[in-house]
Each structure stands twice: as structure tokens, then as C-alpha cells.
Amino acid sequence: MNDFDIFLKDHADCERKASSMAMSFVAKFPDRVEIIPDLIATAVEELEHFQSVYQIMEKKGLRLTHELKQDMYVKQLIEICRSGREERFMDRLLLASLVETRGAERFRLIYEALDEGELKKFYQQLWASEAKHGETFVKMGLIYFDEQAVYDRLKQMALKEASILNNLPIQPALH
Ligand SMILES: [Fe+2]
Ligand SMILES: [Fe+2]
């Protein structure tokens, strides 16, 4: 909270990447027609989030920075995804769900820490939106895979996600 300007830059990057991630599913799995409308809707919502964060940045005179360092959180999460077309598809959906849900958790913490005002309302809305996205990606998995298999794998990946996050330094960033 003491480095909110730096946090905003990271937050903007995360929204932009979330939109790209949703659209990358469309590009990689065009045959999964059942989920394409929800993927497009998610990508649009994330892009709107990016637009809103950028507007806040503009008002504060903040600029987007050229990305130099790798996102260690997402990189390590991708490493735990299995290979094989079906396994990878399931894991990437669950990875997306975990990232969205973790984002929701963080936005809630920010919302709770902010004083009354527009910014507080904005982060409250984001909390709800990202929590919904977290559910959306699990529901997508349930269209194609057995319920038990989805929730077992989600549990395994959630444990790994927690340990990845625990080993990252604390910084003014979403993860
Ligand atoms: Fe978002
Ligand atoms: Fe999201």
C-alpha cells in the first residue's frame, strides 16, 4: 500500500496479460467451441479492467514501463502443468482459475485497506469480477473432464501454487 504507484503498473500489466491469456486459449484450442464465448467475454472484461487501471495511471501521471523481467509466478505455474494435449488443456484451465482466484484475494485485501472512495469501489468490483473468472475456468474444465479428476487436480495445483507464492519476495505487485 505504501508503493501504490508501483503496484498500479504491475496491476495494469496483469490485466493486459489476463486478456491475452483468455484469447490464447481461443488460438490454441479453436476446436473447444463450448468455451469460446466465455473466453471472449473474459478477454473483453480483462481488457476493460486494463482500460480502467490505465485511466487511473494517466490521472496520476504514471506510465507503463517496458517489461524486462519475467513473471516468476506464472513461469513456475506453467512448469507444473503436465504435457500431453488433454492433461495440458486441463492444467492450463486450472492454472488460469488459480491465477484469477489469487488475484481476487489480493484485490480484496487492497479493497479492505483503502479509504472510502472511488478507488475502494473499483477494487471491490475487481474482487467480484476476478472471483467470477476463477469459477469460470473451473466450469470450463468440468465440460470436458470428470468432476473428481478436475477437483483432485485443482487441489494438487492449489498446494503447489501456494508454495510457489510463499517463495516469492514480498513486493508491490499482484503476486
Ligand atoms: Fe481482471
Ligand atoms: Fe480476471
Side-chain angles (χ1 to χ4, degrees):
M1 296 307 289
N2 291 334
D3 274 320
F4 207 78
D5 288 357
I6 295 173
F7 168 76
L8 278 172
K9 292 184 185 199
D10 178 72
H11 178 188
D13 279 347
C14 288
E15 298 291 4
R16 179 180 49 73
K17 285 187 224 163
S19 183
S20 307
M21 184 180 70
M23 286 311 294
S24 79
F25 276 101
V26 176
K28 281 181 196 145
F29 306 99
D31 51 329
R32 310 280 190 176
V33 291
E34 298 81 0
I35 60 172
I36 288 179
D38 276 346
L39 287 168
I40 297 170
T42 303
V44 169
E45 282 176 28
E46 302 294 14
L47 204 54
E48 284 170 356
H49 294 170
F50 176 68
Q51 186 176 42
S52 302
V53 180
Y54 188 69
Q55 281 165 357
I56 295 168
M57 287 177 65
E58 260 192 318
K59 274 188 209 150
K60 287 173 152 267
L62 298 171
R63 290 191 168 208
L64 296 165
T65 35
H66 200 79
E67 235 181 318
L68 292 172
K69 53 182 186 182
Q70 229 179 357
D71 185 333
M72 288 311 290
Y73 173 67
V74 172
K75 180 178 180 277
Q76 290 178 81
L77 279 174
I78 289 171
E79 282 168 5
I80 66 170
C81 291
R82 295 167 296 177
S83 50
R85 189 167 159 83
E86 291 299 303
E87 290 86 350
R88 195 151 190 89
F89 178 56
M90 184 203 274
D91 286 5
R92 291 305 285 256
L93 287 174
L94 298 180
L95 181 158
S97 171
L98 289 168
V99 173
E100 295 285 345
T101 309
R102 185 62 77 182
E105 178 205 46
R106 297 292 164 95
F107 291 145
R108 182 182 160 181
L109 291 171
I110 288 163
Y111 148 69
E112 287 174 346
L114 285 167
D115 294 330
E116 289 302 325
E118 284 301 310
L119 201 58
K120 188 183 182 76
K121 269 186 224 151
F122 175 58
Y123 277 98
Q124 185 179 23
Q125 286 163 1
L126 284 186
W127 162 28
S129 177
E130 309 304 0
K132 187 193 80 185
H133 293 160
E135 286 178 9
T136 300
F137 282 104
V138 173
K139 281 184 193 152
M140 289 178 189
L142 292 171
I143 296 173
Y144 302 101
F145 304 100
D146 170 67
E147 188 176 327
Q148 191 69 44
V150 169
Y151 285 109
D152 284 352
R153 183 63 184 151
L154 182 61
K155 203 171 169 183
Q156 277 177 0
M157 288 179 69
L159 288 171
K160 287 184 181 168
E161 189 268 357
S163 85
I164 288 168
L165 206 59
N166 271 334
N167 289 314
L168 289 175
I170 291 180
Q171 52 192 348
L174 198 58
H175 313 111

